[in-house]
Amino acid sequence: MGKERQTKAARQLDMFEVQGPAAHPGAGGEGGTGPAAREASQLSTASEQERALTGALMERICERENLNQAYRRVKANAGAPGADGMDARGLRAWWKENGERVTASLLDGSYQPQPVLGVEIPKPGGGKRQLGIPTYLDRMIQQAILQELTPVFDPQFSPSSFGFRPGRGAHDALRQASRYVEEGRSIVVDMDLEKFFDRVNHDILMSRLARRIGDKRLLRVIRRFLEAGMMRDGLCVERREGTPQGGPLSPLLANVLLDDLDKELEKRGHCFCRYADDCNIYVQSQAAGERVMVSVTRFLEARLRLKVNAEKSAVAFIEDRKFLGYRLLRGGRLGIAPKSLDRAKERVRAISRRNRGVSLERAIKELNSFLAGWLLYFRYADCRSALRDMDGWIRRRLRCLRLKQRKRAKPIADWLCQLGVPEWRAWLLAGSGKGWWRMAGSPQAAEAMSNAWFDSQGLVNLSNNYAQFTH
């Protein structure tokens, strides 16, 4: 069946290449022979030829190796099951019995996705973020589509777009933003799109996809993914807008839609960095920033039907805003945004909470897992002082945890003596009646559980590890 469709698609392509130039007679004026008419005809023909080349995408999506690669990727991500409760292992067994039927429905364009599972998670800045978790089967299909669409769309995206693109990431965006600031653009137009993934207009997005995809079967399937219902509290809710966060295809679809914004900013000659729906435009004065904010807001609302969150968006000096967790400083240097430090401390508090009932060894292991990844992300920030303070605070948290675990005066004194504190000083602290946090800040606690002692326990030292990054 796939070979017949490929042969048919090839025949259609051959016919198009012969007939294409004659498909626009008279474009642009009398006889269609003027320079403007010829240029318009060439652009139109090139666009149609490009779409013809993507006329058989579904055959490539359904190739065995592409589907196997999609399954391996989805399995490696190890996400939660969707509305049907099936996990990756269950999908593998299910596919052996039903794979041919699913492939056939994709090839004829009749595939119908299942509803996504609606889950709300807390946002770092407060409030809730709505996720839509597809079933493992739909995740695999979306991943297979993504693998074929990425080479089609990604090369045409803006160099100033960094989110969810192969070979690009947050640090690349930050480096480019730093260059803009270093060149003297100290004012940022920080634009926040209100509930972007929940408010994507399906018709506008599909029209952008159709510019480059000639396979109508694939367009129909993608539209069904967009319109799949959402399961909430056992009820299936219809969706008429938005692309749910949680599916492999959503980030690419977001970039396809917002590529219009990128192209508009490039046409206007702006210096900007966009990471998914987080867009920062760098200018040299407050007045210029205010003008940009008004005009770009108008463009987003009129052209893409997207709303700018006025409360979270601002025109401000670069040090007063954050971008991807960092704060841009004078001269293009990078620092850690205060909110990022606050969130890190919230995580440390949760791990080292005194009433968790976990051992000190377990708490240190969990902290190391978090701190190593956190420092790796913020390794480009100028933050030596902040990290020294963080190290001291974390050690005090752990001293507090260990003292609380000893519970009473004698076990506390015995523990301190065991670690080398003179008995009389150990009992002076153990019998003081001070609260756990004050005890953790005492000279006796610092002497017993010293920096060297924490190093022997394997606790990550942020200052020392940061120094390794900067050499």
Side-chain angles (χ1 to χ4, degrees):
M1 181 177 180
K3 290 183 179 179
E4 292 176 359
R5 289 186 180 275
Q6 288 175 336
T7 304
K8 182 178 180 181
R11 287 200 301 268
Q12 290 173 342
L13 178 59
D14 291 340
M15 290 172 60
F16 174 80
E17 288 178 339
V18 172
Q19 297 178 358
H24 303 278
E30 294 182 11
T33 58
R38 286 196 297 271
E39 182 179 357
S41 178
Q42 289 169 358
L43 288 172
S44 179
T45 300
S47 176
E48 291 182 10
Q49 288 175 338
E50 187 175 46
R51 292 182 71 254
L53 291 172
T54 59
L57 274 174
M58 194 61 90
E59 276 73 19
R60 300 209 298 269
I61 289 167
C62 292
E63 287 179 359
R64 181 173 181 175
E65 180 51 38
N66 188 54
L67 290 171
N68 283 338
Q69 182 181 345
Y71 172 78
R72 290 192 294 268
R73 181 66 60 84
V74 167
K75 182 182 178 182
N77 289 339
D84 63 355
M86 185 186 296
D87 60 11
R89 182 176 296 181
L91 173 60
R92 183 170 185 170
W94 185 90
W95 184 264
K96 290 180 179 179
E97 300 293 328
N98 301 276
E100 290 187 7
R101 175 176 57 82
V102 173
T103 303
S105 68
L106 287 169
L107 289 169
D108 64 23
S110 64
Y111 180 78
Q112 185 65 53
Q114 299 178 66
V116 297
L117 180 63
V119 177
E120 287 188 339
I121 62 171
K123 296 173 68 174
K128 298 285 187 178
R129 173 177 286 119
Q130 178 70 60
L131 296 184
I133 303 176
T135 64
Y136 260 88
L137 173 61
D138 286 337
R139 263 180 269 183
M140 187 184 80
I141 301 302
Q142 286 193 34
Q143 180 64 37
I145 293 172
L146 175 67
Q147 290 165 185
E148 289 300 322
L149 288 191
T150 296
V152 173
F153 284 96
D154 192 79
Q156 306 300 320
F157 287 153
S158 168
S160 295
S161 167
F162 296 92
F164 308 109
R165 296 184 60 189
R168 289 170 162 256
H171 291 149
D172 300 305
L174 289 161
R175 275 191 287 271
Q176 180 162 306
S178 295
R179 287 195 294 270
Y180 292 150
V181 174
E182 190 176 3
E183 292 167 358
R185 298 174 180 87
S186 58
I187 301 296
V188 61
V189 182
D190 186 357
M191 308 199 72
D192 182 90
L193 298 179
E194 188 173 288
K195 296 183 178 179
F196 168 73
F197 284 93
D198 296 333
R199 293 187 172 176
V200 168
N201 183 283
H202 291 172
D203 292 334
I204 294 176
L205 174 56
M206 291 307 302
S207 71
R208 299 321 186 250
L209 290 169
R211 289 173 179 175
R212 301 182 62 80
I213 297 177
D215 194 325
K216 293 184 178 180
R217 300 164 299 171
L218 177 55
L219 292 173
R220 285 198 296 270
V221 170
I222 292 175
R223 178 109 197 188
R224 292 195 189 107
F225 272 120
L226 292 173
E227 295 176 345
M230 180 174 289
M231 294 295 295
R232 292 180 185 163
D233 301 323
L235 299 175
C236 186
V237 180
E238 290 187 3
R239 292 190 304 113
R240 301 186 182 278
E241 62 179 2
T243 172
Q245 291 178 268
L249 199 53
S250 291
L252 176 66
L253 297 181
N255 278 334
V256 169
L257 182 64
L258 290 175
D259 189 55
D260 274 22
L261 170 62
D262 298 341
K263 296 299 190 290
E264 181 68 18
L265 294 176
E266 288 176 344
K267 186 173 72 174
R268 298 182 185 186
H270 289 309
C271 296
F272 70 98
C273 296
R274 183 178 65 79
Y275 193 96
D277 59 331
D278 194 353
C279 184
N280 279 7
I281 307 167
Y282 299 90
V283 296
Q284 294 179 328
S285 71
Q286 183 75 20
E290 298 290 353
R291 289 194 299 270
V292 170
M293 176 67 83
V294 171
S295 62
V296 174
T297 298
R298 187 183 302 120
F299 171 85
L300 286 166
E301 294 179 349
R303 182 75 65 86
L304 300 180
R305 310 268 183 90
L306 297 172
K307 186 175 181 181
V308 174
N309 189 327
E311 293 183 1
K312 295 184 178 181
S313 301
V315 179
F317 187 64
I318 45 115
E319 289 188 354
D320 296 331
R321 306 296 292 180
K322 66 180 180 69
F323 182 47
L324 302 175
Y326 279 75
R327 182 171 62 154
L328 287 158
L329 307 173
R330 293 177 185 272
R333 293 180 301 115
L334 294 170
I336 302 178
K339 288 185 178 179
S340 297
L341 281 172
D342 292 342
R343 285 199 292 270
K345 287 186 174 182
E346 286 176 9
R347 180 67 177 141
V348 171
R349 286 190 186 96
I351 294 173
S352 60
R353 199 172 62 246
R354 296 193 297 272
N355 58 358
R356 276 192 71 202
V358 300
S359 67
L360 181 67
E361 293 76 13
R362 169 74 180 276
I364 288 176
K365 184 177 180 181
E366 291 182 17
L367 279 172
N368 285 347
S369 178
F370 166 71
L371 293 173
W374 184 83
L375 182 61
L376 185 65
Y377 181 75
F378 286 105
R379 65 188 183 273
Y380 297 112
D382 187 354
C383 57
R384 290 172 181 81
S385 177
L387 294 182
R388 281 195 298 270
D389 293 343
M390 178 83 91
D391 278 330
W393 179 76
I394 290 171
R395 287 191 291 265
R396 186 170 177 178
R397 294 276 314 175
L398 292 176
R399 290 180 188 122
C400 189
L401 171 64
R402 190 68 185 107
L403 291 170
K404 173 70 162 57
Q405 289 173 343
R406 304 303 291 178
K407 295 183 179 179
R408 291 181 294 276
K410 187 177 187 309
I412 291 173
D414 290 345
W415 168 252
L416 295 174
C417 291
Q418 182 182 335
L419 294 178
V421 178
E423 185 175 358
W424 71 272
R425 293 184 66 231
W427 274 103
L428 188 64
L429 178 65
S432 67
K434 293 179 180 178
W436 299 113
W437 184 247
R438 287 188 66 191
M439 291 175 68
S442 68
Q444 295 96 317
E447 181 182 342
M449 293 173 277
S450 64
N451 296 0
W453 184 83
F454 278 114
D455 290 341
S456 71
Q457 303 302 306
L459 177 66
V460 165
N461 187 300
L462 295 173
S463 301
N464 290 348
N465 287 10
Y466 177 77
Q468 294 175 9
F469 286 129
T470 55
H471 280 81

